[in-house]
Amino acid sequence: MKVTYKILRFDPEKDKKPYFKDYDVEVEPTDRILDGLNIIKWYQDSTLSYRRSCAHGICGSDAMEINGVNKLACKVLIQNVGSHITIKPIRGLRVIKDLIVDMEPFFEKYRSIKPYLINDDSLPTHERLQSVEDREIFDDTTKCILCASCTSSCPSFWWNSMYLGPSALVQAHRFIFDSRDHGADERLEIVNDLNGIWRCRTIFNCVDACPREIKITKAIEELKRALLHKHL
Amino acid sequence: MWKKTTFSVGGRAKPAGGFEMYSWYFMRISGVVLLLMALGHLFIMHVYFNVDEMVNWDGVGAAEFVKQRFEGIGWRAYDFILLTLALFHGLNGIKWLVDDYVHSKCWRLFLVSAIYTLAFIFYVVGSIFLFSYNA
């Protein structure tokens, strides 16, 4: 089938402002959006820039706005979006070129919630065991692949780039509710900030955007309640 | 090149709990209470007693009704709680809008000061009326 890709192009070294460019591509309906992008890149216009790595929905490199919604280009079939496909870079982050954005502000926020095991106990001689029930509490938030689909779809983040954003809060949830970790209090106080958890306005864009179907708003709500129980 | 943001998270010691947490909690509780109280107010004023029918051409009927209500402390307390919750719930909502949209420090200071000043004035005027009204 023949589809038209309408892609927002921008090269800061040449262009004054972003512009749309159309590409007609011959694809199979069961091809993914990424396959069409590859055809454009390899056979039509090698100046088109975008990120991709594993191409199987694991590495989280190819998040982009596809027909108005943030998705991973490698997880969306062309037959599910139709023959007119509009692609833009994810919002709220500076465009480096075409669909590539500067992810550093995103990762800065990720690092701020200390995304690593904090446990000062003496080193165990075997694995740190955990019950199935204890794992269940934070199982959903372990699925995050840091693709930034959620954070870059969040209006609170568009309005204020200092907001931690849903992804960093999901990562905080993943460690705060892990029974093997002892850094919960420390992390709860990090997210307890006007630019932390309290900037979330429960808009649910993040939930719609997440390619791993993480219940992000629920996780954020659990963090708010944990803070409340800690202080009241 | 990427410019480092003045990201505040984790950058400074914060008081335990913090204003934002209590502000969020207040909005939840006051929202539920306000809904019940506003429905109660609607029922009493427009269903159980119909004030619209009481009002004659000079408004004497309704004034009489208010006078009767304010003879005891109960209705004054009801209206005082309604005033307190509605005023602070609404103004706190506007403060959240300012937090989201206004990034300039000067404008923020001006607008948040204006919100707090308005809250204070409305609260004082409303309270004086409620408690000094001579039935």
Side-chain angles (χ1 to χ4, degrees), chain B residues 87-88 90-99 108-122:
Chain B
L87 184 66
F88 289 104
L91 287 172
N92 199 35
I94 298 174
K95 183 188 167 283
W96 282 10
L97 289 176
V98 171
D99 285 341
R108 261 186 58 81
L109 182 69
F110 171 72
L111 289 170
V112 173
S113 308
I115 289 167
Y116 286 140
T117 311
L118 271 181
F120 179 75
I121 293 171
F122 286 156

Side-chain angles (χ1 to χ4, degrees), chain B residues 53-109:
Chain B
E53 285 175 11
M54 286 178 194
V55 182
N56 55 28
W57 64 274
D58 59 357
V60 170
E64 192 62 31
F65 175 71
V66 174
K67 191 177 153 190
Q68 280 173 14
R69 279 182 71 196
F70 274 16
E71 271 167 3
I73 188 72
W75 283 113
R76 285 183 199 246
Y78 187 98
D79 284 359
F80 180 67
I81 296 170
L82 201 59
L83 165 76
T84 308
L85 295 182
L87 184 66
F88 289 104
H89 186 94
L91 287 172
N92 199 35
I94 298 174
K95 183 188 167 283
W96 282 10
L97 289 176
V98 171
D99 285 341
D100 278 346
Y101 288 107
V102 183
H103 301 154
S104 145
K105 272 187 183 171
C106 294
W107 271 108
R108 261 186 58 81
L109 182 69

Side-chain angles (χ1 to χ4, degrees), chain B residues 15-61:
Chain B
F19 175 78
E20 293 305 323
M21 187 188 80
Y22 293 112
S23 144
W24 177 82
Y25 195 41
F26 168 77
M27 292 300 260
R28 263 71 200 156
I29 302 291
S30 62
V32 174
V33 177
L34 268 173
L35 184 69
L36 297 174
M37 291 189 82
L39 286 174
H41 175 83
L42 194 75
F43 176 76
I44 291 153
M45 300 299 276
H46 300 284
V47 180
Y48 193 70
F49 302 104
N50 195 337
V51 223
D52 303 325
E53 285 175 11
M54 286 178 194
V55 182
N56 55 28
W57 64 274
D58 59 357
V60 170

Side-chain angles (χ1 to χ4, degrees), chain A residues 34-218:
Chain A
L34 180 65
D35 297 318
L37 284 173
N38 285 341
I39 292 171
I40 297 168
K41 170 92 178 164
W42 296 338
Y43 303 110
Q44 295 186 18
D45 184 352
S46 61
T47 63
L48 177 67
S49 301
Y50 54 93
R51 284 196 183 101
R52 81 268 190 261
S53 185
C54 80
H56 287 81
I58 298 298
C59 72
S61 302
D62 60 353
M64 49 191 75
E65 195 185 298
I66 300 169
N67 286 356
V69 184
N70 284 0
K71 294 172 191 287
L72 296 183
C74 61
K75 278 194 84 174
V76 182
L77 297 186
I78 287 172
Q79 65 188 10
N80 293 336
V81 285
S83 57
H84 287 81
I85 303 159
T86 304
I87 297 183
K88 299 180 194 171
I90 50 176
R91 298 186 192 201
L93 296 162
R94 186 179 62 86
V95 173
I96 296 173
K97 188 172 180 288
D98 298 335
L99 303 176
I100 297 178
V101 296
D102 181 2
M103 295 284 278
E104 186 47 36
F106 172 80
F107 286 118
E108 180 200 10
K109 291 167 178 66
Y110 170 60
R111 288 190 295 268
S112 77
I113 59 97
K114 307 193 173 184
Y116 41 80
L117 182 79
I118 298 176
N119 188 330
D120 293 333
D121 290 350
S122 51
L123 281 176
T125 51
H126 52 81
E127 303 96 318
R128 296 176 200 269
L129 297 175
Q130 187 170 48
S131 71
V132 173
E133 292 75 25
D134 280 346
R135 163 75 188 199
E136 193 63 36
I137 297 169
F138 67 99
D139 190 58
D140 196 40
T141 45
T142 61
K143 296 189 291 184
C144 178
I145 53 172
L146 294 168
C147 67
S149 287
C150 57
T151 297
S152 62
S153 72
C154 173
S156 296
F157 181 72
W158 301 339
W159 298 323
N160 194 328
S161 61
M162 292 210 287
Y163 171 40
L164 258 183
S167 176
L169 293 172
V170 160
Q171 291 294 336
H173 181 283
R174 182 254 169 273
F175 286 96
I176 286 168
F177 291 97
D178 188 336
S179 60
R180 298 162 297 186
D181 187 278
H182 295 168
D185 283 346
E186 200 180 332
R187 289 196 194 87
L188 277 173
E189 289 317 314
I190 290 171
V191 300
N192 183 15
D193 189 281
L194 177 62
N195 284 325
I197 201 155
W198 308 115
R199 183 78 70 189
C200 169
R201 304 284 182 245
T202 332
I203 297 166
F204 281 92
N205 270 19
C206 52
V207 180
D208 286 341
C210 180
R212 306 305 305 269
E213 295 173 358
I214 299 172
K215 296 177 189 73
I216 301 173
T217 313
K218 182 169 173 269

